[in-house]
Amino acid sequence: LKVGFMKNFLVTWYGITDFKSSLGFEKSGPILGALADGNYTDVIVLGYTKHDDSISNEEFKSKLNEVSASDDPDAKFKFTYEYANCSTAHKHFINFIEEKISEMGKSVSVGLISVTLSELNDSEGIYSAAVQALQHISNLQIECRVSIFLSPGTPLMAFSWALAAFKFPGLSKRLIASSDPRKPPVPIMPPKEWLAWNSKQNPNPKDENKADTYDVIYTLFGEQRIPALLGVNHFNCKKHVFVSSGNYDAECMRKFLPESCEFSQIKADPYNPSDVFDKIIKDSAELPWDARIGFNLTGGTKLMYAGAMNACRKLGGVPFYVGGKELKITYLNDFVTEDLKPITKVESFILVNSNGLGICDYGRSGADDEDSIAMTDEMWKARKKINYLYNDIQDMKRRDCYYSLSIEDPWHPEILELAQGPYCVSTRAVDYTFEDESQFSTYIKGGWFEEYVYNHLYPLYEKGKLFDIRHGIKVDFNKAISEFDSDHYIYQEMDVVFTNGKRLFIVECKSGRPEIEHIEKLSTIARYYGGIEGKGILAYSKTPDSHILDKKIKETPNVEIVSGDDLIEQIKKIIGCEND
């Protein structure tokens, strides 16, 4: 068998209607209808056997030809019940099914299990035969899916199929039935009381090993993607189905699924709950009847929520909501809450929200060396005076000379003109050289401040309080395009970005004059890349003094301003790490 090949079984008893179909006394039977509608690789038919093998094939065919030529319905009725349930009849029926399958242009392996019963209502024998058929499939060393057809046979046979199915919780299966042999069968659900009983016999989904495992999760997908990402990240799931409108494409979620996980998307009318309900129910038709189904109802519109919740109730699913102030997951059937599993990479937030943008530079993620840390600390001490030296740098550029920054005294930093290189910063603690004037100018004009913030937040990562922290991430339009001219196509550059596993924090470091535009821009960036829970932090090297700025920040709940000697402690408090 090929790797990844899956067998799709149809298992069923065959009854009088099926037998009549094979004799030509009925146009079709339930089994033939199911085969015409489904895409099965194998069929296992159970046949009730009550006669011995004394009926020869010649006798069977001769008598059949005789009654087929007759217009007497009583003769056909008598033949049907006289010759049914014998080995010869079984062989005739299987040959008929194989011929019809060939006419359909399908390739299906057909097998029959002859079952001798003490009587037609021999419950022990019927149940044992059903278990035997499912056990055979369960023992195969490949992935199998089973459709258990309840319609053919007696009501006791249908009842026994459902009971036997509970013995194989690991087998992917569904129950199907058809009230009209002319119509294809449809999936059905066992009574909820049966499912409740079965949960006591098998591992409870709320047990530690099963609590986060689902066969499929339906996720309402809209403008806010982080709830969808948190749901994908939190659970072990074989298949994720994203329910969205035409305005939002969930294709971006595919990259966050494990390779073994199946991706699917349903497009529905976000303002028509019936459409959402119908499309989820239709999509779930192929699921095993005992599949564990989750519903992430956080995204989408309120009417999508209504339709999906109704589908959840019908399918016996587990509804949950991701979010709230503490960013927990809340199960809506019993209102139990639990902590979410963390999103451990900064780029996950950016890529899920950025509508196809790429990351051309993932930024620095390691600890800085001791000399660099010592130098940025000295720069921080001299911050109030350094800003006034920018004009001196511009003057020296025009004279085409080398220069350096001296901070022997933090209160009196100065720019020194040099006859020769290198460009450098000289402090009481350490001297640091730069490769060229561009690196030196970038550092002096604010690069040092970014490094200072990064260096003093990095210990939180080392303590496990942050899951990821980066300095200097660059987002571009398209990686393939940006290879030609990465600077031209850069869409966004972020100074310091980190995550505590639940939300994204973006720190913009400003060593110049505070502006209203800084707040507006960072608010947009934080919401765009971090979602509704994204947080922007404006770090100023000198303390702002503006009533207009204070008013604006109060009107912008997703941005905080920090400044002053305890700037780092202010950031820690925003994160919730003030004691670290």
Side-chain angles (χ1 to χ4, degrees):
L1 292 175
K2 295 180 180 180
V3 176
F5 180 78
M6 181 181 76
K7 280 184 171 289
N8 192 5
F9 280 88
L10 175 70
V11 295
T12 181
W13 291 88
Y14 87 97
I16 290 298
T17 304
D18 293 302
F19 185 48
K20 286 182 179 180
S21 174
S22 73
L23 300 175
F25 303 162
E26 293 281 354
K27 289 186 177 180
S28 184
I31 294 178
L32 200 59
L35 289 171
D37 179 68
N39 186 24
Y40 301 101
T41 61
D42 296 79
V43 180
I44 296 178
V45 179
L46 276 62
Y48 164 42
T49 306
K50 68 176 180 180
H51 297 308
D52 57 27
D53 294 330
S54 60
I55 300 175
S56 67
N57 187 50
E58 290 74 18
E59 175 188 345
F60 181 89
K61 288 185 176 180
S62 175
K63 189 64 177 177
L64 175 59
N65 290 335
E66 181 182 331
V67 298
S68 296
S70 171
D71 293 331
D72 184 3
D74 290 339
K76 294 180 180 179
F77 178 86
K78 182 179 179 181
F79 175 86
T80 299
Y81 285 92
E82 180 178 351
Y83 285 90
N85 309 121
C86 69
S87 298
T88 304
H90 295 338
K91 292 177 183 177
H92 169 81
F93 177 72
I94 294 302
N95 289 336
F96 166 77
I97 289 296
E98 289 178 337
E99 289 176 5
K100 291 298 181 181
I101 289 173
S102 178
E103 291 175 6
M104 295 176 194
K106 297 185 177 184
S107 178
V108 184
S109 175
V110 182
L112 182 136
I113 299 176
S114 177
V115 183
T116 302
L117 303 173
S118 60
E119 58 177 336
L120 190 56
N121 289 331
D122 177 6
S123 60
E124 289 290 343
I126 292 171
Y127 177 74
S128 177
V131 170
Q132 178 186 350
L134 296 178
Q135 186 66 63
H136 167 74
I137 299 171
S138 181
N139 289 340
L140 297 176
Q141 299 299 312
I142 59 172
E143 185 178 358
C144 296
R145 184 174 184 177
V146 186
S147 296
I148 303 173
F149 198 8
L150 305 183
S151 298
T154 67
L156 180 58
M157 290 173 175
F159 176 80
S160 297
W161 271 129
L163 285 181
F166 283 117
K167 286 184 65 68
F168 302 91
L171 195 62
S172 177
K173 56 195 175 298
R174 63 173 183 159
L175 302 179
I176 59 175
S178 176
S179 58
D180 186 340
R182 294 167 297 182
K183 296 180 180 179
V186 296
I188 65 169
M189 288 286 290
K192 291 183 178 180
E193 288 79 2
W194 286 22
L195 296 176
W197 168 82
N198 181 59
S199 68
K200 297 177 183 178
Q201 317 305 313
N202 298 309
N204 191 313
K206 284 295 184 181
D207 285 348
E208 182 178 351
N209 294 330
K210 300 289 287 183
D212 63 349
T213 301
Y214 288 86
D215 293 288
V216 61
I217 293 178
Y218 289 93
T219 298
L220 298 184
F221 187 83
E223 182 180 4
Q224 294 300 323
R225 284 86 182 276
I226 296 303
L229 179 59
L230 286 165
V232 165
N233 188 63
H234 190 74
F235 296 106
N236 295 317
C237 186
K238 298 177 183 177
K239 180 179 180 180
H240 283 276
V241 181
F242 298 90
V243 185
S244 64
S245 69
N247 295 327
Y248 300 104
D249 190 351
E251 183 65 29
C252 63
M253 297 303 301
R254 189 189 293 270
K255 65 173 70 72
F256 299 103
L257 304 183
E259 291 185 4
S260 60
C261 184
E262 185 179 350
F263 168 91
S264 182
Q265 183 171 192
I266 296 174
K267 294 288 187 178
D269 184 344
Y271 301 106
N272 185 346
S274 294
D275 187 53
V276 174
F277 171 83
D278 291 341
K279 286 181 176 176
I280 291 176
I281 295 301
K282 182 179 179 180
D283 183 84
S284 68
E286 296 297 315
L287 294 174
W289 59 263
D290 59 348
R292 189 163 191 242
I293 307 174
F295 282 79
N296 185 345
L297 303 179
T298 317
T301 65
K302 293 180 179 179
L303 291 176
M304 289 177 73
Y305 174 95
M309 178 58 92
N310 200 18
C312 178
R313 291 193 184 102
K314 183 174 179 62
L315 297 173
V318 178
F320 54 86
Y321 181 89
V322 176
K325 185 176 180 180
E326 299 300 325
L327 281 177
K328 291 180 178 289
I329 185 166
T330 301
Y331 295 95
L332 302 178
N333 51 354
D334 54 14
F335 303 114
V336 170
T337 63
E338 65 186 36
D339 291 330
L340 285 159
K341 292 181 180 178
I343 298 174
T344 58
K345 295 296 182 183
V346 161
E347 58 260 32
S348 296
F349 289 89
I350 296 174
L351 294 176
V352 77
N353 282 313
S354 59
N355 295 312
L357 294 176
I359 297 178
C360 60
D361 188 343
Y362 285 83
R364 185 159 58 99
S365 59
D368 216 339
D369 61 78
E370 292 183 1
D371 286 350
S372 296
I373 294 173
M375 184 169 65
T376 58
D377 286 349
E378 291 297 310
M379 295 287 287
W380 172 251
K381 295 173 185 177
R383 66 188 182 279
K384 295 180 181 179
K385 301 292 183 179
I386 290 177
N387 289 345
Y388 297 106
L389 300 178
Y390 292 161
N391 291 334
D392 293 343
I393 294 175
Q394 296 302 321
D395 290 340
M396 291 184 179
K397 276 187 177 181
R398 285 190 287 270
R399 293 200 297 270
D400 194 24
C401 64
Y402 293 95
Y403 46 92
S404 70
L405 172 65
S406 174
I407 315 179
E408 295 299 328
D409 179 357
W411 291 101
H412 298 91
E414 56 181 334
I415 295 292
L416 303 177
E417 186 173 339
L418 304 176
Q420 59 184 8
Y423 298 94
C424 67
V425 173
S426 299
T427 71
R428 294 171 299 177
V430 64
D431 293 340
Y432 201 89
T433 61
F434 296 85
E435 292 183 4
D436 53 39
E437 189 275 335
S438 176
Q439 284 188 0
F440 177 80
S441 295
T442 299
Y443 183 80
I444 297 300
K445 291 180 178 180
W448 68 268
F449 189 26
E450 298 174 21
E451 293 191 18
Y452 174 80
V453 172
Y454 174 84
N455 289 336
H456 285 272
L457 292 179
Y458 190 82
L460 294 178
Y461 169 76
E462 295 177 312
K463 294 177 181 178
K465 301 297 181 180
L466 302 178
F467 284 92
D468 193 15
I469 182 168
R470 307 292 179 85
H471 172 218
I473 280 186
K474 295 178 182 179
V475 179
D476 68 353
F477 278 106
N478 185 294
K479 286 185 177 181
I481 295 176
S482 65
E483 287 175 0
F484 296 98
D485 188 353
S486 59
D487 290 333
H488 182 71
Y489 290 98
I490 288 177
Y491 183 80
Q492 187 70 61
E493 184 173 358
M494 290 170 267
D495 296 343
V496 180
V497 188
F498 57 87
T499 178
N500 61 356
K502 297 176 182 178
R503 56 164 53 98
L504 187 72
F505 295 85
I506 301 175
V507 184
E508 284 294 308
C509 301
K510 301 294 184 181
S511 55
R513 187 177 65 180
E515 302 283 353
I516 292 291
E517 289 75 13
H518 296 164
I519 299 175
E520 295 172 342
K521 180 181 178 182
L522 183 56
S523 176
T524 301
I525 292 171
R527 186 177 295 108
Y528 184 74
Y529 293 105
I532 195 169
E533 298 294 341
K535 193 75 172 177
I537 301 174
L538 265 175
Y540 285 110
S541 62
K542 64 178 185 177
T543 303
D545 185 14
S546 168
H547 295 299
I548 297 177
L549 208 67
D550 293 340
K551 183 177 183 298
K552 184 65 177 179
I553 203 67
K554 289 178 181 178
E555 297 171 349
T556 314
N558 69 333
V559 175
E560 301 271 3
I561 288 180
V562 295
S563 64
D565 293 339
D566 62 342
L567 176 144
I568 298 298
E569 295 305 315
Q570 294 175 45
I571 297 177
K572 289 181 179 180
K573 186 175 181 180
I574 294 171
I575 306 169
C577 300
E578 56 265 44
N579 297 322
D580 294 289

